[in-house]
Amino acid sequence: MPKQMDDQGSTGLAGRRGQAARNDAAILDAAREIFLADPKAPVAAVAERAGVGMSALYRRYPGKEDLLRRLCHDGLRRWIEEAEAVEAEPDAWKALVVFLERIVDADVHSLTVHLAGTFTSTEEMGRDARRAAELMGRLVERAHAAGRLRRDVVADDIGLVLEGCAAVRVPDPERARELRRRFLSMVLDGLTGVDAAALPGPAPEPGELNWRWRRSD
């Protein structure tokens, strides 16, 4: 008898383990949709959208904070994965562009912006956040060294670019992706303006854009 496939395409997760994996994927997919629309929505709405019982949800995520934390940490890990994936690209500008395109397509920033401050971060998330910042800094430094990125752009400016892309929202997800790519392309043209007039205002201070991560009970 052939092995069953779980939602991730791996084999060997038959029976209860396979069902648990499918339930977990359904819960996370539903949670992304629900909390992007309304971060204050109850977990009952997630269970209903996922088509699972509350007991199945609570077995994996004892409280709403646990679920929110998982969603954001998954996004942070995706950021790190994509940044590490382009480190071997010899063209520094292409590395930065490909990274941004992948992050925008994955819609990572939309979720983190919406959920920031709604849960308490863990030490592991803190370490991963520092790793993500380190990788972002290297991408920007390489683009500067290659003469492709204007000198007055700092790593935290990239966060502003991603926030702008995340703000582009329409009901059709594919159309949203197209419009975000269009917006990103226009912004990237501005980032390469090496001889352009200086950007207005001071650059973002380190950590200035992280204010939303302060817990707001």
Side-chain angles (χ1 to χ4, degrees), residues 135-193:
L135 290 164
M136 188 72 258
R138 288 214 292 264
L139 280 171
V140 168
E141 287 173 7
R142 287 184 60 205
H144 277 152
R148 298 297 306 278
L149 180 65
R150 54 186 300 160
R151 298 300 306 178
D152 52 355
V153 170
V154 301
D156 282 337
D157 281 319
I158 303 303
L160 295 177
V161 172
L162 291 171
E163 288 207 24
C165 291
V168 178
R169 304 189 64 81
V170 294
D172 181 355
E174 179 57 27
R175 182 58 179 151
R177 189 194 70 81
E178 292 175 346
L179 291 173
R180 286 170 179 162
R181 278 292 193 101
R182 180 181 176 85
F183 177 74
L184 177 61
S185 181
M186 290 187 288
V187 174
L188 287 173
D189 280 347
L191 293 180
T192 59

Side-chain angles (χ1 to χ4, degrees), residues 48-99:
E48 181 178 359
R49 178 72 62 87
V52 302
M54 290 297 293
S55 59
L57 189 151
Y58 281 131
R59 276 197 298 272
R60 292 160 182 79
Y61 307 100
K64 183 177 178 178
E65 267 204 48
D66 300 282
L67 183 52
L68 297 176
R69 203 164 22 240
R70 168 66 186 274
L71 290 173
C72 276
H73 204 171
D74 281 354
L76 184 55
R77 291 185 180 114
R78 177 66 180 272
W79 174 292
I80 292 171
E81 175 186 325
E82 297 296 355
E84 290 177 338
V86 298
E87 281 201 299
E89 169 56 54
D91 185 321
W93 178 248
K94 181 178 180 181
L96 179 60
V97 170
V98 169
F99 166 77

Side-chain angles (χ1 to χ4, degrees), residues 110-146:
S110 293
L111 193 64
T112 55
V113 167
H114 273 69
L115 301 187
T118 61
F119 60 88
T120 301
S121 298
T122 63
E123 290 185 9
E124 183 182 5
M125 289 185 73
R127 289 193 297 272
D128 283 345
R130 290 189 290 274
R131 172 64 174 160
E134 175 190 350
L135 290 164
M136 188 72 258
R138 288 214 292 264
L139 280 171
V140 168
E141 287 173 7
R142 287 184 60 205
H144 277 152

Side-chain angles (χ1 to χ4, degrees), residues 8-64:
Q8 301 298 320
S10 62
T11 60
L13 292 181
R16 289 186 178 180
R17 290 181 61 198
Q19 186 59 52
R22 288 187 288 275
N23 284 348
D24 194 46
I27 289 169
L28 292 175
D29 286 344
R32 288 186 190 97
E33 294 178 14
I34 293 292
F35 294 137
L36 266 176
D38 180 11
K40 296 182 179 180
V43 291
V46 175
E48 181 178 359
R49 178 72 62 87
V52 302
M54 290 297 293
S55 59
L57 189 151
Y58 281 131
R59 276 197 298 272
R60 292 160 182 79
Y61 307 100
K64 183 177 178 178

